[in-house]
Amino acid sequence: MPAVPPPVPTPQEPVEPQELLQLGTEADEPCLRADAARNRARLLEAAALLVAERGADAITMEEVAAAARVGKGTVFRRFGDRTGLLTALLDHSEKKFQAAFLTGPPPLGPGAPPAERLRAFGLAMLRRTGDELELQLAAEPQAGRRFTSPPRRVLRHHVTLLLREAVPDADCELLAHTLMAQLDPALVHHLVRQCGMPPQRLEAAWVDLVDRVTGTATSR
């Protein structure tokens, strides 16, 4: 006898706007004096430039301090060690990106149709990954935490909410995993750096994927 096909997912309840899981905020840290806040901002900016130029594995705390024009002790007091510095740098980037899709202007932020927001989200993710590829690869969670780390959960939850608006009769939780796989930094590294694929091809593929999943099409 032929195999019985799996049941079609039942339509999901309409999703009301809800607050996403938030990453750490500046309020989580001790209140900083104005000079300490300026030093922290300079250190993060200097670290970001060094990572972009040479890769996360090549930078040292001493180089970051020199580039930011602060004492080496300031870097260690503020971030503890190199891992703490890279973690703070990635967290800073995550907060800016989360603010953009939570409260920023459409189509990435609220106010555009869900399919349009999905397209904008993936394009912004791919461009951000291209700008920060070395940092994101250095901060890649271990296999056991890959799908449970707070930043990944925030992004996947956002995609799930948009899918529930765009295709409410789909298994949106699993579909969100499928879409997020195309935005994975390790895959971007493989396709762009190892296969020589132009980033524009990845962006076009993302838009095509969203169009096919949601049954919509852009006017390109």
Side-chain angles (χ1 to χ4, degrees):
M1 295 179 61
V4 178
V8 176
T10 56
Q12 298 165 2
E13 294 297 322
V15 176
E16 298 297 330
Q18 56 181 286
E19 184 178 358
L20 297 185
L21 172 67
Q22 298 286 326
L23 299 179
T25 63
E26 298 297 335
D28 296 332
E29 301 182 358
C31 293
L32 300 178
R33 301 188 315 272
D35 58 340
R38 285 193 297 270
N39 285 342
R40 184 180 190 276
R42 286 212 307 269
L43 286 166
L44 290 175
E45 181 180 0
L49 290 173
L50 288 171
V51 169
E53 290 172 0
R54 299 170 46 196
D57 292 338
I59 67 169
T60 66
M61 301 286 269
E62 290 79 3
E63 290 171 327
V64 172
R69 300 186 300 279
V70 301
K72 181 174 67 173
T74 300
V75 190
F76 284 97
R77 284 193 302 273
R78 192 70 195 86
F79 301 106
D81 56 17
R82 184 175 165 281
T83 299
L85 172 61
L86 294 177
T87 300
L89 184 58
L90 187 62
D91 186 61
H92 180 66
S93 170
E94 292 284 357
K95 290 172 186 173
K96 289 199 301 183
F97 185 62
Q98 185 183 148
F101 67 72
L102 276 175
T103 61
L108 181 57
E116 190 174 346
R117 293 191 68 193
L118 274 172
R119 295 185 199 104
F121 174 83
L123 294 177
M125 277 278 292
L126 288 169
R127 290 163 189 169
R128 176 189 168 213
T129 297
D131 292 339
E132 303 176 353
L133 188 53
E134 299 294 342
L135 176 63
Q136 291 195 22
L137 290 176
E140 185 73 9
Q142 295 179 345
R145 295 186 56 253
R146 189 170 197 186
F147 301 105
T148 60
S149 65
R152 295 284 176 91
R153 289 169 57 200
V154 168
L155 301 176
R156 190 172 64 248
H157 185 58
H158 179 63
V159 170
T160 301
L161 293 182
L162 294 178
L163 285 170
R164 286 180 180 169
E165 291 184 58
V167 281
D169 57 341
D171 188 336
C172 295
E173 186 174 354
L174 285 179
L175 191 56
H177 280 281
T178 301
L179 266 64
M180 289 297 296
Q182 191 160 324
L183 305 175
D184 184 77
L187 178 62
V188 173
H189 175 266
H190 169 67
L191 294 176
V192 175
R193 299 284 180 85
Q194 297 177 330
C195 299
M197 201 173 286
Q200 293 81 1
R201 183 175 172 186
L202 273 64
E203 294 180 12
W206 171 261
V207 173
D208 182 61
L209 176 62
V210 172
D211 288 352
R212 292 175 188 274
V213 166
T214 62
T216 59
T218 58
S219 56
R220 30 182 217 284

